[in-house]
Amino acid sequence: MIIKEKVIKYGHNVDTDVIIPARYLNTTDEKELASHCFEDLDQAFAEKLKKAKIVVAGTNFGCGSSREHAPLAIKASGVRLVVASSFARIFFRNAINIGLPLVQSSEASQETEEGDVLEVDLSGGSIKNVTRDKVYSISPLPDFIQGVIQSGGYIPYIKGQMKK
Amino acid sequence: MPQNNSQTIAQKILAAHCGRDYVSEGEIVNAGLDIVLGNDITMPLAIQEFKKIGAEKVFDSERVVIVPDHFTPNKDIKSAQQSQLVREFASAFHIKNYFEVGKMGIEHALLPEQGLVGAGDLIIGADSHTCTYGALGAASTGVGSTDLAVAMATGKLWFRVPSSIKFVYEGKPQPWITGKDLILHTIGMIGVDGALYQSMEFRGPVIGQLSMDSRFTMSNMAIEAGGKFGIIEADKVTEQYLSQRAQRPYRVYKSDADASYDQVYRIDCSKIGLQVATPHLPSNAKPAEKLSHIGIDQVVIGSCTNGRMEDLAVSASILKGQKVKEGLRVIVIPATQEIYLEAMQKGYLKTFVEAGCVVSTPTCGPCLGGHMGILAEGEKALSTTNRNFVGRMGHPKSEVYLCGPAVAAASAVTGHIAIPQEVMDDY
């Protein structure tokens, strides 16, 4: 799958409290969660989202709480992909489990600015910064995790396994 | 298997739970679980996913533990609806260890207290501070709701076998130092992603002398350095604790002497003063005495990090006969009903109320900006909790400073960040 979109750029240690503040965790409604996504980090996020659908950030993206509401809010807001230098481990699991694509690349993260256009080939393993004419390779995920992604998330994957 | 087949405690516990003698760092294993935990925030999503799997029962109705502790006693209609959903699930699936308000405590204080977790266990919980049980020599970690759903249905989950970092605590700790100061110092040293995906192993003579309560505090905050586990090998202190509580047999695992570590840190505790982490990262650890210029609006003493007996005892010893500074709000939250009762019997609650603190029923409440002490714009809180991210305790323009019980109680008297020596004549 190829994703080609403009970029919204954030810094290091974007935590789950700013992705979706706990005051909104009294619901599991994805649309409601999405309407508060990144609210405490960037009040202009909803406006930026009209033109940009890839979030690029620095190290330790998604650190903090285990709330799956965080990747759910990002996915339901319309963001198609998150690129970061590194991901916190619970966020990483949660995003894979619910089918929000993540790509880890320090180089791409450092050299990409807000408004740049990225073209990411999730199966081919590369990120192209169209604006700056640069290409970065992505190291492949373990086979098991690729299997989960190909199934469309952990629940469909497990259902498939249970049938075997 | 490599020539040297020595393993860390993390490897040994994971190996034992997938029926093997040896697992390699970095490999992905599917392992059986001893305890699976959910709360009122993470269970509603997990129930949705559990239903999608189509499972007719949970893998073991005694090993799924549900603790509604975050927005309880319910703060609003929506959270009451969520708790109702969780309550109905617990009833329908005959969950033995469901803790209703009245029995409920903050989950990571409650499970060890109730003897539900033990040494050598492999535990997952849909709460990031599930790493707390590492203090008992368990491999225990936080996951999200989908993982919880799969774990409830199958009793198994995938793990990437982590590499480990060893932290050796030596030297004679200064007065008033507790586990919170050691772990804030450690996170300050390695950063909020300093142990990303890794197992943190806390050891050395200082850990040997540390109370169980302080050990829980240290393991609890492993996640604040990105850690997967925060393990302390079981010793006499652990065995004494477990002998009075454990509901199941447990097994003590120890890292091999020649196991490999990514890093080894030796920490001289005689040089660590009382610590405060300034906004907005737990890694911003600084000596408390250098922050006496910071005035505060609220103090919180409680949470899964510091709401145990030792924390209340330390706080009460400082607040005894003292008064809360005029204009300051001080909220004390014993973490469980058992702790609440013991603190009452020992006179600590009387001390707190006479000093001008409010004492709350167990709840995660203010720690995550849920309820029971939300901050307004521009306000500053000093708190024994675990996170000081932007907006964590309320308004996005409020601030949270993290500390242990001694600094929290002393500051309750002065109204600014203080150490006990500032308010006590004969400490």
Side-chain angles (χ1 to χ4, degrees):
Chain A
M1 184 171 57
I2 293 172
I3 296 172
K4 187 179 177 185
E5 299 283 356
K6 272 193 174 171
V7 163
I8 303 171
K9 179 86 189 272
Y10 295 127
H12 299 306
N13 301 312
V14 174
D15 63 79
T16 54
D17 278 289
V18 295
I19 295 174
I20 182 75
R23 58 184 178 274
Y24 303 118
L25 298 184
N26 55 6
T27 182
T28 55
D29 183 81
E30 291 180 14
K31 283 190 181 140
E32 197 178 334
L33 292 170
S35 71
H36 300 295
C37 191
F38 293 117
E39 187 176 282
D40 287 357
L41 178 67
D42 180 9
Q43 302 242 324
F45 174 73
E47 190 57 36
K48 290 178 184 172
L49 204 53
K50 290 175 185 165
K51 292 180 183 164
K53 298 270 188 291
I54 293 177
V55 170
V56 177
T59 54
N60 205 23
F61 185 90
C63 62
S65 120
S66 69
R67 63 190 71 161
E68 202 160 293
H69 312 66
L72 275 177
I74 294 173
K75 191 181 174 196
S77 74
V79 168
R80 298 183 65 198
L81 172 71
V82 182
V83 179
S85 297
S86 63
F87 292 95
R89 58 161 280 279
I90 306 178
F91 181 89
F92 182 84
R93 286 185 79 111
N94 288 346
I96 299 296
N97 284 346
I98 66 153
L100 170 68
L102 303 181
V103 169
Q104 188 175 334
S105 169
S106 296
E107 258 191 308
S109 163
Q110 284 164 14
E111 294 178 2
T112 300
E113 297 298 334
E114 182 144 319
D116 287 1
V117 173
L118 291 188
E119 188 177 313
V120 181
D121 183 351
L122 288 177
S123 48
S126 71
I127 302 176
K128 184 176 184 192
N129 187 323
V130 177
T131 310
R132 293 170 199 276
D133 196 23
K134 288 206 161 185
V135 178
Y136 312 94
S137 62
I138 314 168
S139 46
L141 291 164
D143 291 347
F144 163 76
I145 294 176
Q146 287 194 36
V148 172
I149 294 168
Q150 278 159 17
S151 303
Y154 200 26
I155 298 296
Y157 175 86
I158 281 291
K159 285 179 81 167
Q161 293 286 309
M162 286 168 95
K163 276 179 198 157
K164 281 179 190 169
Chain B
M1 195 185 295
Q3 205 82 52
N4 173 0
N5 63 355
S6 53
Q7 298 183 92
T8 61
I9 184 168
Q11 286 173 284
K12 285 185 182 179
I13 296 175
L14 284 168
H17 286 80
C18 56
R20 288 166 53 185
D21 296 325
Y22 183 91
V23 291
S24 312
E25 287 172 5
E27 80 170 297
I28 289 179
V29 297
N30 201 31
L33 301 164
D34 294 299
I35 289 289
V36 171
L37 168 71
N39 61 46
D40 55 315
I41 302 274
T42 54
M43 271 301 286
L45 271 178
I47 292 169
Q48 278 181 24
E49 300 307 305
F50 184 85
K51 285 178 178 163
K52 284 184 200 164
I53 299 170
E56 288 171 2
K57 54 186 176 62
V58 298
F59 81 104
D60 185 336
S61 59
E62 294 192 4
R63 288 173 186 258
V64 174
V65 181
I66 302 177
V67 188
D69 58 355
H70 277 63
F71 292 165
T72 54
N74 289 134
K75 72 186 184 94
D76 55 22
I77 294 170
K78 280 182 166 178
S79 52
Q81 296 293 137
Q82 299 220 90
S83 284
Q84 186 181 53
L85 188 75
V86 173
R87 187 177 300 118
E88 286 169 0
F89 178 87
S91 170
F93 289 89
H94 311 291
I95 304 298
K96 186 187 162 203
N97 292 302
Y98 167 75
F99 293 89
E100 188 55 90
V101 171
K103 292 182 177 143
M104 173 275 284
I106 297 173
E107 53 197 303
H108 308 309
L110 187 69
L111 267 65
E113 173 195 290
Q114 296 294 316
L116 292 168
V117 289
D121 279 357
L122 180 62
I123 301 159
I124 63 99
D127 187 281
S128 59
H129 293 106
T130 303
C131 50
T132 307
Y133 317 130
L136 291 167
S140 185
T141 195
V143 298
S145 295
T146 297
D147 279 328
L148 170 59
V150 171
M152 285 197 298
T154 66
K156 288 184 175 175
L157 208 59
W158 67 271
F159 295 86
R160 184 156 75 182
V161 179
S163 59
S164 297
I165 309 179
K166 190 195 287 193
F167 298 87
V168 184
Y169 297 85
E170 301 166 318
K172 186 173 186 294
Q174 296 175 21
W176 296 106
I177 296 294
T178 61
K180 186 62 162 285
D181 304 293
L182 302 183
I183 192 65
L184 285 178
H185 173 83
T186 304
I187 298 165
M189 196 172 71
I190 66 170
V192 288
D193 58 355
L196 200 59
Y197 295 96
Q198 290 162 302
S199 173
M200 300 171 80
E201 233 181 81
F202 306 120
R203 33 191 332 134
V206 173
I207 302 297
Q209 298 294 315
L210 215 54
S211 68
M212 257 335 293
D213 283 359
S214 263
R215 295 180 185 193
F216 285 126
T217 304
M218 291 191 71
S219 294
N220 173 273
M221 289 191 73
I223 179 69
E224 309 315 333
K228 179 173 198 155
F229 304 138
I231 306 185
I232 298 172
E233 280 180 7
D235 61 8
K236 283 179 190 165
V237 176
T238 326
E239 299 238 26
Q240 197 195 346
Y241 182 92
L242 288 172
S243 68
Q244 295 164 7
R245 298 180 184 272
Q247 291 188 19
R248 282 180 288 114
Y250 56 88
R251 187 167 165 192
V252 174
Y253 293 90
K254 293 189 187 287
S255 292
D256 292 321
D258 55 349
S260 82
Y261 291 89
D262 287 350
Q263 289 105 20
V264 177
Y265 292 97
R266 295 193 171 273
I267 298 160
D268 181 357
C269 296
S270 68
K271 295 193 175 133
I272 302 174
L274 289 161
Q275 300 285 300
V276 170
T278 59
H280 289 286
L281 287 174
S283 56
N284 295 337
K286 295 181 172 64
E289 68 259 29
K290 294 206 170 147
L291 297 167
S292 58
H293 58 286
I294 306 286
I296 45 177
D297 303 288
Q298 176 168 298
V299 170
V300 175
I301 298 172
S303 83
C304 60
T305 313
N306 285 109
R308 299 182 181 82
M309 272 321 293
E310 176 181 272
D311 307 306
L312 301 186
V314 167
S315 303
S317 74
I318 294 166
L319 284 165
K320 181 95 178 162
Q322 300 270 19
K323 289 287 177 201
V324 165
K325 178 78 173 177
E326 190 72 29
L328 180 67
R329 291 113 51 189
V330 180
I331 302 164
V332 181
I333 311 178
T336 68
Q337 293 287 82
E338 187 180 306
I339 293 167
Y340 194 105
L341 200 57
E342 192 180 335
M344 188 191 291
Q345 285 159 352
K346 288 189 167 160
Y348 299 160
L349 302 191
K350 185 164 179 277
T351 296
F352 296 138
V353 173
E354 284 177 350
C357 310
V358 65
V359 179
S360 160
T361 184
T363 182
C364 304
C367 172
L368 76 162
H371 61 146
M372 284 299 298
I374 304 303
L375 300 174
E377 182 172 356
E379 287 191 326
K380 289 183 172 66
L382 179 67
S383 178
T384 67
T385 53
N386 43 55
R387 291 195 177 123
N388 54 356
F389 299 148
V390 170
R392 175 72 179 177
M393 200 175 274
H395 196 282
K397 287 184 180 156
S398 62
E399 292 184 337
V400 178
Y401 292 74
L402 304 174
C403 67
V407 171
S411 308
V413 177
T414 63
H416 60 82
I417 292 178
I419 56 175
Q421 289 88 328
E422 200 175 321
V423 300
M424 296 176 86
D425 298 328
D426 54 343
Y427 65 89

